[in-house]
Amino acid sequence: MALEEYARKRRFAATPEPRGAAGKRAGTKPLSFVVQLHHASVRHYDFRLEVDGVLRSWAVPRGPSLRPGVKRLAVEVEDHPLDYASFEGDIPKGNYGAGHVAIFDQGTWHPEGDPADGVKRGKLEFELKGERLRGSWKLIRTAKAASKPQWLLLKRSDEFAGDVEADDMLSDIPAPPARTVSRRPAPSKAPGSKKSPAASSKAQSSPAPSMKSLLSNAAKASGAKRARAAPAWIEPMLATSAAKAPDGDDWLHEWKWDGYRLAASVSKGKVAITSRNRLPWQERLPRLVEALRSLGVDAAVDGELVSLNAAGQSDFNALQRALKSGDTSALSLVLFDLVRVGDVDLRDAPLVERKALLQQLVAKRGPCLGYSDHIIGHGEKVFEAAKKQKLEGIISKRVLSAYVSGRGNSWLKVKAVETREFAIVGYTQPKGSRSGLGALLLAEPEKKGWRYVGRVGSGLTDKHLSSLPKRLRAAKKPAVALPDHVALKERNVHWVEPDTVVEVIFRGWGKEGLLRQASFARLREDRDADSNLVQPENAGDARHAGRTGKARKTARPPATDAIPPPSSPDRLVYPDEGITKQQVFDFYLSVADRLLGELRDRPLSIVRCPDGIKGQHFFQKHAGPGFGAAVKRLPLRENDGDRAEYFYIDDVAGLMNLVQMNAIEFHPWGSRAETIEQPDRIVFDLDPDVGIEWKAIKAAAVEVRDRLRAAGLESWPRLTGGKGVHVVVPLEPAAKWPEARDFCEAFARAMSAEQPDRYVATASKAKRENRIFIDWLRNGRGATSVASWSLRARTGAPVAVPLTWEELARVRQPARYTLRDAGKRASPALVEGLEQKLQRLPRIK
């Protein structure tokens, strides 16, 4: 094609793409290739090979697959110039191929034979040497009639092949940048008007209005009043929590930004920025002060200080890092209300008119000041859009509401996650590979001091674990009394003064009044902890719900650090149940806080099902291609003496990386990376022969429990998602693997010898007839057992779930819990209590 077609399709004055020209190959220099991820009207990968001085190009809708023999459609498109290989960025709207382009991979390629002849014949065989794509590949032209030549791209079987898709390797590829700060899920109208009074596109493209025009419009607003002097400070208007977004066009809906609420005022050139509780912030935000001063008019505005990521979403962790470093130049104040402008007090004006004026005020003011756009009506749709984009939720406001200080029902907060703020009153010792601290003990204020509300350990980063013990002040006596039902001794707690506030994500309240499934979200360095600690508006309702056993359900799992959406979200994983990859992804995100307690720092084996559970299953225990940085690699000596690279995870990002790569089941070792030779749990798997009744299997689990108890060991039961039960014994990591294996073998053989008609201790199928196999073999070095909260790759989408012994007695079938309902359960207090108990294996006599 040469480059005539390339040039014909482009207006180079309007696009940043290179003009280019056909090049010449320099001597024996290797041929180059590039693969670009193109977010055009249809997202696809552009696969480009250097041939005769140009880049021969194919559009690959689903991207290359590293799975041998998997054929991917590759549509031949126009040739591109060689310097296109370095192009990244945005092709503006209105141009051919408009959208964002990012380099996915590049390197050299080595054809078998003459590449130009191969293209002509319709068959290319070649080797790629890139960072992501390596080894042997084929491109084969099909005979199918089409407007553009259609080819098939496939990977050949070699050492670089694997169960990996292109979409599985995007962890470090930047997402397309947001077009504007304000974001609109859907178009809408204001009541009584033909156009939305705050259309973000208009605000971005129109010139900034004159201050004279703005002040004139403000004076004409309904309910506006002239004010002789500006008030020294206006207490902010607050939102009340609601279970669902309200209906009707008398409500507008905004994204809930994840940052710090700040009010700002400009008066005769003097700028004041204050937090919700009137703490001064202007010295910390010099660039924002200048941006507000440059408005050129006295004003009082209300907004949220945020750090925006490449996708235009607020990133609270990045915000905290910026504030801690002192470099706040990249932070933005996203404004959602205008309370005063000039000498006009707008508090009694309708919200929709205040926002229209605010949009005029901040138009074309640069990145420091943003405008929080809104949608009128469509409340439920806006909330669903917020959930899909992994946002905290939405704020719903009455279109005609006045600005009234304090909390009321005109502004509603509809959360996709439930969060609260608590004071730290103590912490436990770390266990296993954890350092610094184990879990934080939390409390809330009550009339005469503090009330204990539970512990949180999930979500704490290594930095938190190391820095918090240094930050917290030791207390002479505990600030709270531990309830009798808490399996923790006061002497085992490092008690601290309750002067540090943390925000916690949780899924309601347990019947004992303790937090359910709590996950650490962040330190609230902007808040003081004392007996006047202000709690969110639904605190009383939440506590009441907890004590009556009717905890409010939340729609989303723990907050995560920029977890990307899954590839191929509509692919059926459990076809009989109609369960898609997106539903599997959402399930694992919802149970991440509990599942990570089972997996963190343990070498893993995973079961991967790239074509769903009806397709081929891959059992993988070694690290492989496509694993992102969040999946940690662990070189280990195997039992035969060879060295191999295993893998483990320690956070939500690592977990979701594996789920993205089609991991369905998670099977951890019984030891952690730092104490790899000392197990901290043993598992007896009760595996029944066909025909054994469920009642008999439960009775066997109770007998194992009782015999273990007689040996001085407490345990808890786990439904495996199959036909049996696990009896799990947490341990102090003291004994080594041979001791654990010997104990488990002796225990199982003793039960088999005493009741040979009921139990067998050998794996032989022939000897298992009408018996239950007490599988002790899971307790050797390198052996694994399924984790609690793991899905199983079986029909019905069952989940392995931990229980109390009382619950086991009531369960009527072994696969009781599935993807549909398992995530609603909390981890039993029995499990948490036994994890804190330092049990040691008894010596075998």
Side-chain angles (χ1 to χ4, degrees):
M1 295 181 188
L3 296 177
E4 291 83 359
E5 184 72 3
Y6 172 82
R8 186 184 67 79
K9 291 183 173 182
R10 286 161 178 81
R11 296 178 293 120
F12 292 108
T15 177
E17 297 168 283
R19 287 179 179 271
K24 292 183 179 180
R25 187 178 180 191
T28 59
K29 182 181 178 182
L31 297 170
S32 64
F33 86 91
V34 66
V35 180
Q36 288 156 316
L37 178 58
H38 193 171
H39 289 270
S41 57
V42 177
R43 177 184 181 272
H44 64 276
Y45 291 78
D46 288 314
F47 190 88
R48 311 190 195 278
L49 302 175
E50 179 186 349
V51 179
D52 285 348
V54 297
L55 292 173
R56 299 301 298 258
S57 299
W58 293 262
V60 185
R62 295 181 61 188
S65 172
L66 271 62
R67 296 161 60 197
V70 171
K71 301 181 178 77
R72 285 293 153 80
L73 175 66
V75 179
E76 188 174 357
V77 296
E78 74 275 11
D79 298 342
H80 283 54
L82 293 181
D83 48 0
Y84 206 94
S86 61
F87 174 68
E88 287 189 293
D90 283 301
I91 301 173
K93 187 176 180 180
N95 287 271
Y96 175 75
H100 185 69
V101 177
I103 293 176
F104 171 77
D105 197 16
Q106 58 188 156
T108 60
W109 76 289
H110 306 267
E112 294 183 13
D114 178 28
D117 182 60
V119 173
K120 184 177 180 180
R121 290 186 297 107
K123 184 176 182 181
L124 275 173
E125 298 189 39
F126 52 94
E127 180 185 10
L128 294 180
K129 292 185 177 180
E131 293 183 6
R132 291 177 170 81
L133 305 180
R134 299 180 67 82
S136 299
W137 295 76
K138 281 185 180 182
L139 266 169
I140 304 171
R141 188 167 55 227
T142 71
K144 184 176 180 180
S147 59
K148 295 180 179 179
Q150 296 193 359
W151 297 61
L152 297 175
L153 173 67
L154 61 151
K155 180 78 182 72
R156 301 176 70 178
S157 181
D158 60 18
E159 60 182 309
F160 300 105
D163 177 28
V164 182
E165 303 292 342
D167 283 357
D168 295 332
M169 299 184 281
L170 298 179
S171 59
D172 57 349
I173 302 294
R179 299 288 182 183
T180 62
V181 170
S182 48
R183 293 134 48 89
R184 296 170 59 84
S188 184
K189 295 180 181 179
S193 70
K194 295 182 179 180
K195 295 183 179 179
S196 168
S200 60
S201 58
K202 182 176 180 180
Q204 294 295 325
S205 58
S206 302
S210 68
M211 288 302 106
K212 184 177 180 181
S213 170
L214 176 65
L215 292 171
S216 174
N217 291 338
K220 296 175 185 177
S222 306
K225 299 177 183 177
R226 295 283 182 182
R228 293 183 179 180
W233 184 68
I234 298 174
E235 182 184 351
M237 185 170 181
L238 303 176
T240 296
S241 280
K244 59 179 291 186
D247 293 324
D249 285 345
D250 54 343
W251 290 89
L252 62 81
H253 312 278
E254 302 169 344
W255 293 146
K256 185 179 185 302
W257 298 95
D258 194 5
Y260 288 139
R261 177 82 175 273
L262 294 181
S265 65
V266 184
S267 182
K268 297 179 180 178
K270 184 178 180 180
V271 176
I273 304 174
T274 56
S275 67
R276 195 171 82 179
N277 50 359
R278 209 174 178 179
L279 297 175
W281 275 64
Q282 56 267 17
E283 291 186 6
R284 306 178 71 177
L285 303 166
R287 189 171 177 222
L288 182 56
V289 168
E290 289 306 313
L292 289 164
R293 189 177 284 125
S294 70
L295 290 174
V297 66
D298 287 359
V301 292
D302 196 353
E304 191 91 352
L305 183 70
V306 298
S307 175
L308 298 174
N309 61 22
Q313 295 179 337
S314 47
D315 183 339
F316 189 86
N317 290 326
L319 172 65
Q320 286 200 314
R321 288 194 297 270
L323 292 171
K324 190 169 185 178
S325 70
D327 182 7
T328 60
S329 58
L331 302 183
S332 303
L333 184 63
V334 179
L335 300 173
F336 46 73
D337 216 323
L338 177 64
V339 207
R340 176 179 58 85
V341 60
D343 63 349
V344 180
D345 186 339
L346 295 168
R347 281 177 285 180
D348 289 336
L351 171 64
V352 71
E353 294 188 41
R354 298 199 306 271
K355 291 205 68 178
L357 293 167
L358 174 65
Q359 191 173 25
Q360 292 180 4
L361 178 65
V362 299
K364 294 269 186 178
R365 294 298 178 182
C368 264
L369 293 175
Y371 172 73
S372 184
D373 212 340
H374 64 260
I375 300 299
I376 294 177
H378 310 290
E380 281 300 310
K381 290 182 179 179
V382 178
F383 181 65
E384 288 302 317
K387 287 199 295 183
K388 286 180 180 178
Q389 297 188 45
K390 309 300 181 186
L391 303 179
E392 280 203 339
I394 62 173
I395 304 293
S396 301
K397 302 177 180 179
R398 288 194 180 276
V399 168
L400 303 180
S401 60
Y403 191 93
V404 181
S405 296
R407 204 175 302 282
N409 292 320
S410 293
W411 288 11
L412 301 177
K413 180 164 47 180
V414 189
K415 289 185 178 182
V417 293
E418 186 172 359
T419 66
R420 286 265 318 263
E421 293 169 4
F422 300 100
I424 301 174
V425 292
Y427 62 90
T428 60
Q429 278 288 99
K431 292 182 63 180
S433 63
R434 207 165 203 179
S435 61
L437 58 84
L440 300 173
L441 275 66
L442 306 177
E444 66 177 2
E446 55 183 13
K447 290 183 179 179
K448 296 182 179 180
W450 297 89
R451 186 182 79 86
Y452 178 72
V453 296
R455 281 180 277 182
V456 62
S458 175
L460 290 164
T461 66
D462 291 342
K463 189 173 182 180
H464 290 132
L465 295 175
S466 61
S467 64
L468 277 172
K470 302 171 188 174
R471 174 193 179 106
L472 302 172
R473 294 190 303 122
K476 294 182 180 179
K477 62 178 183 178
V480 297
L482 294 176
D484 293 338
H485 57 79
V486 173
L488 186 65
K489 303 296 183 184
E490 286 191 359
R491 64 177 180 271
N492 295 331
V493 176
H494 294 272
W495 296 102
V496 300
E497 296 292 343
D499 52 14
T500 299
V501 178
V502 294
E503 187 173 348
V504 172
I505 301 159
F506 63 106
R507 295 176 67 86
W509 297 80
K511 61 184 179 181
E512 302 90 356
L514 301 185
L515 297 170
R516 292 180 62 242
Q517 303 167 25
S519 178
F520 177 88
R522 65 199 61 146
L523 277 174
R524 294 302 310 219
E525 299 184 82
D526 59 325
R527 303 294 303 275
D528 293 325
D530 53 32
S531 58
N532 295 314
L533 177 66
V534 177
Q535 294 294 350
E537 63 286 348
N538 62 328
D541 293 341
R543 283 195 300 275
H544 178 72
R547 286 171 182 160
T548 60
K550 298 179 180 178
R552 187 181 130 211
K553 298 175 183 177
T554 57
R556 270 195 59 205
T560 58
D561 292 334
I563 301 298
S567 60
S568 306
D570 298 326
R571 180 191 297 157
L572 283 175
V573 178
Y574 293 89
D576 291 349
E577 292 75 26
I579 293 173
T580 64
K581 183 176 179 181
Q582 181 67 59
Q583 290 170 286
V584 171
F585 190 89
D586 291 343
F587 168 77
Y588 273 124
L589 205 53
S590 74
V591 298
D593 54 340
R594 285 152 282 169
L595 179 58
L596 281 171
E598 290 271 311
L599 304 184
R600 185 179 280 114
D601 298 335
R602 298 180 186 272
L604 295 177
S605 293
I606 55 176
V607 175
R608 299 171 65 182
C609 303
D611 297 314
I613 67 164
K614 296 295 181 71
Q616 189 174 3
H617 295 195
F618 297 87
F619 194 82
Q620 183 168 355
K621 68 177 183 178
H622 294 144
F627 283 13
V631 179
K632 314 298 183 184
R633 294 171 185 263
L634 181 66
L636 286 177
R637 175 186 56 79
E638 299 200 285
N639 293 335
D640 60 6
D642 291 342
R643 301 288 295 185
E645 193 169 54
Y646 286 72
F647 62 95
Y648 67 96
I649 58 175
D650 58 15
D651 58 17
V652 179
L655 171 64
M656 302 317 295
N657 183 306
L658 296 177
V659 176
Q660 169 75 285
M661 296 177 66
N662 306 302
I664 301 298
E665 296 188 5
F666 293 87
H667 298 253
W669 280 36
S671 60
R672 299 180 187 269
E674 289 189 4
T675 52
I676 200 69
E677 304 302 337
Q678 291 86 39
D680 60 0
R681 66 171 46 172
I682 54 175
V683 177
F684 293 96
D685 179 9
L686 303 183
D687 187 2
D689 187 30
V690 177
I692 300 288
E693 292 186 356
W694 173 234
K695 183 177 180 181
I697 301 168
K698 293 195 292 182
V702 171
E703 185 169 352
V704 171
R705 177 202 66 184
D706 293 344
R707 286 173 174 263
L708 286 168
R709 186 174 288 167
L713 296 173
E714 294 294 334
S715 59
W716 51 268
R718 171 167 60 209
L719 298 181
T720 67
K723 58 185 178 179
V725 174
H726 285 173
V727 179
V728 184
V729 183
L731 299 172
E732 180 182 2
K736 293 191 175 182
W737 277 113
E739 298 172 66
R741 180 185 171 95
D742 291 348
F743 171 83
C744 294
E745 180 181 9
F747 183 92
R749 293 197 183 283
M751 285 191 67
S752 174
E754 291 182 20
Q755 300 183 70
D757 57 330
R758 294 184 63 193
Y759 304 122
V760 63
T762 60
S764 169
K765 289 282 187 182
K767 295 183 178 180
R768 199 184 306 183
E769 186 177 359
N770 296 322
R771 295 173 177 83
I772 296 172
F773 172 38
I774 304 175
D775 186 353
W776 53 272
L777 297 170
R778 299 183 180 277
N779 301 295
R781 185 182 186 275
T784 63
S785 56
V786 72
S788 298
W789 312 109
S790 171
L791 279 163
R792 306 306 303 269
R794 300 173 181 174
T795 300
V799 177
V801 170
L803 304 175
T804 65
W805 289 105
E806 292 78 11
E807 287 176 317
L808 178 64
R810 296 194 296 267
V811 170
R812 296 183 179 180
Q813 56 183 344
R816 160 63 181 84
Y817 292 97
T818 71
L819 175 145
R820 309 284 190 191
D821 60 357
K824 300 174 184 178
R825 285 181 49 83
S827 184
L830 169 66
V831 175
E832 185 177 353
L834 289 182
E835 293 291 343
Q836 300 289 335
K837 196 171 182 178
L838 301 180
Q839 301 189 119
R840 291 204 175 204
L841 285 174
R843 292 190 178 276
I844 301 175
K845 298 180 180 179

